[in-house]
Amino acid sequence: MLTTVITATGSILWRLHNDTLERQVALANLTTRAIEDHLTQSLTVVERTLTLAASDPIAAVRLPFYLQQAPYLRSISFADPGDRIYQSSNAENIGIKLDRRVFIPQSTTPVSVLRSGPLFTGRDFADHKTQTHPANSDLNFIPLLLDSPQKDGSWHTVVAALNTDYFLNFYNTHLTADQGQVDLLRYDGGLLIRNGSQPAGIVYNPMLRNSLLQSETGSYFETQPEGMQLLIAYRASRNYPFIIVVRQDRQQILANWQREAKLVVLVVGSILLLLISLSSVYYLRFEKLEIIRQRDAEQLRIAAAAFESQEGIFVTDADNTILRVNQAFCKITGYSEDEAIGQTPHLLSSGKHPPEFYQEMWQQLHRCNNWSGEIWNRRKNGDIYPEWLTITAVKNAQNHISHYVATLTDITQRKHDEDEIRNLAFYDPLTRLPNRRLLLEHLEKATRSAGRRGNEGALLFIDLDNFKTLNDTLGHDMGDLLLQEVAKRLNQCVREIDTVARLGGDEFVVLLPKLSKYRDEAASLAQRLGERIRLSLNIPYDLAGHNYHATPSIGITMFADGQHNSEELMKRADLALYSAKSAGRNTVHFFDPQMQKSLSERASLEAALRQAISDEQLVLMYQPQVDHAGNIYGAEVLLRWQHPTLGLMPPDQFIPLAEETGLILPIGNWVLLQSCKLLKKFSQQPGMPSFSLSVNVSAKQLRQPDFTQQVQDILDATDAPPHRLLLELTESGLLDDIESSSTKMLPLRHHGVRFALDDFGTGYSSLAYLKKLPIDQLKIDKSFVQGVMSDQNDAAIVRSVLALGNALNLNVLAEGVETEDQLQFLNLHGCRSYQGYLFGRPLPLQELLSMCMKQAAVQRSYNLIEAKLICSE
Amino acid sequence: MKRIVLSILAATSLLSLPAVQAGHMEKIRDANELKVCIWPDYYGISYRNPKTLQLSGIDIDMAIALGQELRVPVRFIDSSFATLINDIEQDKCDIAMFAIGITPQRSERLRFTRPHLVSDIYAITTRSNRRIQTWADIDKPGTVVAVAKGTLHETVMRDKLKQATLLVTDTPQGREQEVEAGRADVFMTDYPFSRRMLETTDWARLVSPPSTYHLTHYAYAMQKNDDAWYQRVSAFLNKVRADGRLMAAIKRNKLDLIAEN
C-alpha cells in the first residue's frame, strides 16, 4: 500500500511536473508570440511612418506629428545620399554621418526594406557614443534605416531612433524579471534589449542558432555552464531582422509545481506517516498478538506432543467420566478412544485390588491432589497387567476439583526386567540355580525358622572331585555341561522345600530345612540324603557323547537353634567338605566329629541289621497274656536281635534305626509272617486253637498304601486264622491319617483280624478315634500300671481307661503287671487281661509252650499233651 | 549648464483687455447659463471620459452645484492651463473650475477663491527608465524634464532645475509622449494627474519628492474686478464646505489626501 501510494503520488507529481513544464513551454511560446507580434506591428507602423515621411514634401514641419503617436520612436531623420543626416525631428541629429554597413540586412544598393543597426548608446544619434558599450549604458536606442523609392526613381533615406525603453516596458509588463527574461536580438544575434537587470551576455549561442536553422520559432531546454537549466522559447519576427527570445529558469517555472509538490508530499507524507505509525502500532500489536498466538500454539503443540507421549494418559471430569485419552492409552489398554470416552476408569479394573485399596487411593487424591502407585489393571483382551499409575487432581479457580489427569505406564516389561535382573542377581546363569546371594537369603530364613520351631536343618557343600582336570582336558564347555547335569541331578534328589545352589565353579550347596525335630534323626536324614546325592552324582555322565564319571565330596553341617549365623554355617559346611576331601573324596562328611562318629556307628549298625535280616539273626520272643483267671490265652510277639558280637539286643536299640532306614518294613513283614505261620500251627494243635498273637505294626508299615493287601497276602499265604491275629498299633501311627488308617484297617477287621491300641494313655488318647477306628483292645501302658499303687493319677488314669474300655465294650489289657497288688487293683477295677513279669517275661517259643503246657497240666492233662505235640514240631 | 529650450510658443503674453463693465451675476442671469472653464483631461477634477464623453470630478460636481445654487444650467467650456488667463479675461467663461494652482503669475491676472486642494510636484517616468530611480536623479546633466506649457510646473521647474534640460511641450499630452518615446526622462505634474497616469498607463512610474518640494494650493479662478461675483462664489463655497458637499466630492474622487480646509 505504501509503495502504491508513493508510486501514485510520485506518478501524479511527475505528471503535474510534466504538465507544468508543457504548460510553461506553451506559455513561453505564447509570450514569445505576443511579444513578437507587438514588435512586428510596431515596426510595421514605424516602416509605414518612415515611408510616409520619406515622401512627405513638408516632412520637415510634420516630423513632430509623425512622432506624436509613436512612443517607440525617439526621432525621425533624413539622410542625404552620403548617409549624413540633413533633417531630423531632433535638430541635434543634423550632420551626423551614418555607417550603412552596420545595418542588416546588408545591401550595397538601396532596397526598400527596414533595416536595423546594432544597439546604439545614447538617447538619439546626436549623443551616440561609439566608444561606450551599449550594454553598459543607461540609455540606448536602435537605429533603423529605410530606403524609400520615390516616384521620380530616386531614393530617400529615412532613419529613426527606436525607443528601446518602450519595448522594455512592454516586456516588463508581460514578464517580470523574476518570471523570466525577454531578449530582443537582432537577426545576426546581437543583443538589443533585455529586460531584467542581468548584464547582457552572449545569448546567441550555437544552440539557438541551430534551432533557428531548423525553425523560425521553437523552444528547448538549455543547461547553463553554472548548472542552471533554462527554458528557451524563441521566435523570429515575421518581417524584420529581429528575434524574440524568452528565457525562463526551469526552477522558476516549476516553482509553483514545486510548491504544490511540496504541499502534496507534505500532505501525503503526513498521511502516510500517520498511516505508517498506525500500521506500525497495529503491526506491533499484531506482531505481539502473533507472538502470543505462536507461543500459545507452541505450548499447545508441546502439550499435544506431551499428551501423545509414551505414557498412557487419560483425563476425566470431576465425576470420573473419561473425557480424553491418548494413543499410548489405547495401545496399553486396548480400548479405542471411542470405547474409553464416556466410561469411568472402572473399565480397567482388574478386580485384583480390594475395595480398601481404592478407598485409600481416593482419600489420598483428595488429601494431596495426587496419587501414584503400582496397580493391576485389565486390558480389553482380559490380560491383567501391572501399571504405574499417577493421578493428579486439577482444580479450577474456585479450588474445586474439575478434572483428574491420570498417566499410566505399562510396567509388565519393567517387572519382567526386574525379574530378569533379579534372576541375574539371584540365580546362576549357567545352571539356573540360586546363587550365593539367594542361598544366603534362604539360609537366613531357614536358620531363623529352625530356631523358632526347633526344627533341625542341614547345609550340604558339594564339590566335584577333579573337576579342574575335566576343564583342563575336555574344556570349559564340557565342564559347563557337567555342571548343568549335576544341577539337574541335585534338584532331583531334594525335596520341594530344599534349596540347591551353586556358589561358583564346581561348588554346589544344598540347604535342607526342617528335617526333623530330633537332631539325630535330622542328621541321619541329612546323611542319607548326602549319600543319595553322592550315589546320584556317581552315575556316569554323557557329556556330548563323552562318557564321564565324576565323584563328589560332600560336607554337611547341621543347624537348629539359630545360634550360628549363615556365614558361620557356610564356613562349617566348607570345613566338612574339606574333611570329606581329606578323607579320600567321593564321601560324605559331617562338620561335628561326634555326630560323624555316631552316624558312622549307625551306618554300621544299619549294615549289620541288614545283614541280620538276611542272616536271620532276628529272633522272636513271646510274652504271655493272661485272663483274669490267670490262664494264658495269648502272647505278644516281641523282636530281638541276636547280634553275633553284641549279644541279644533289645528292640529300642535297633527298631528306631529300622524305622528310619525303612528296614522296619521287611522286618515287620517277617515278624508278621512268622507270627501267622505260628498261628496256623496253633490252630492245628488241640488245646491251642484259641491262642492268639499280638503283633506290633509300626506306623511306617501302616502308612504303606498296600498295607491291607500285604497283611491279607500273608494271611492267605499262611492260612492263619485271622481272628487269632491281633495287630498292635501305636497312637502316633494311627493319628497321621485316621481316615486312611481306618480305610486300611476295616477290610482286615471284616476278615476277623483284630486291632489293639498300644501304649494307650501316653498319647492324645482321643476318644474320637476310638469311635472311628475298628479297635478291639486297649493296652494300658506299663508306666501307668506300675504307678497304680503309688500314684493317684496313674491309678485314676487306669481306672478311667478300664471304665472307658468297659463302656465301649473294648477289651482292656494292662501291660507291665509285676505285682499282686497291681493285679488286685486292676482286677478290682474290671481289668480282665494282663501282661507282665508277674505272668511271664518274653520267652522263646519253647518256654512259652512249656508254660502253656504247665498250665494245661494243672488244668487238663490232654491240653498238655497237645501242647507237647506242638512244641515238638 | 542650463539650457532652456522653448520649442514652441503658441501664444505669448498678450495685452490685457479692457475691464469688463457688466457684472457676471447679471450676465449669467441674462444668458441663463453659467459658463465654467474646465480642463477635460484633469482626472479626478474635471475629466471627460473619452469613451462616454461624460464629465466627472470634484470640480464638475462643484460647478453643477454652483449652477444649481444660481438656478442656471451650467455650460462647460474646455480650457487648459495654457489658455486659462485668456479664457477668463476674455470672458469665455464666468469661472474656471479645474483646480487651478495659485501661482504668483496667475494671481496677478486672476482672482482665486479660497483653495480647497493642495498638491506637491511629482515626477512621472517610464518603468524601464534606468536613469531615474529617485527624485535626486532628476536634476542631472543629460536628463530631460518635460513640462506642459503654461502649467505651474513650467514656472516652478524652470526656476528649480539647475542641470537637467527642461522640455516644455505645448500640450499636457505632449509631455507624456516625450517621456514615453524616451525623448524626455520625466515630466512634472501634480498629485491628481500623477494618479491618473498610474491608473491609466502601464509604462508610467511615479517618482515622489522625499520631502515637500513645492506645494501649490488649488482653487477656482475668476476675473479680478467683479466683487459681487466673487462674493457669490465664495458664499457658495462656504456653503458647500459647511454642508460637506465639497468634502464628499473630494472623497468621492479619492483626493481627500490633498484636501485643504
Side-chain angles (χ1 to χ4, degrees), chain B residues 110-128:
Chain B
L110 302 175
R111 191 172 193 175
F112 285 94
T113 56
R114 187 180 148 200
H116 55 282
L117 296 172
V118 62
S119 172
D120 207 333
I121 293 173
Y122 296 89
I124 293 290
T125 183
T126 62
R127 287 174 182 270
S128 49

Side-chain angles (χ1 to χ4, degrees), chain A residues 135-136 172 176-183 191 193-201 203 226 228 230 247-249, chain B residues 130:
Chain A
N136 297 331
N172 279 333
T176 58
D178 54 346
Q179 282 172 334
Q181 206 174 47
V182 182
D183 288 343
L191 177 66
I193 299 171
R194 163 172 287 183
N195 76 331
S197 54
Q198 297 96 330
V203 291
E226 64 268 28
M228 183 190 275
L230 294 177
R247 305 198 297 168
Q248 285 181 290
D249 183 1
Chain B
R130 286 192 292 251

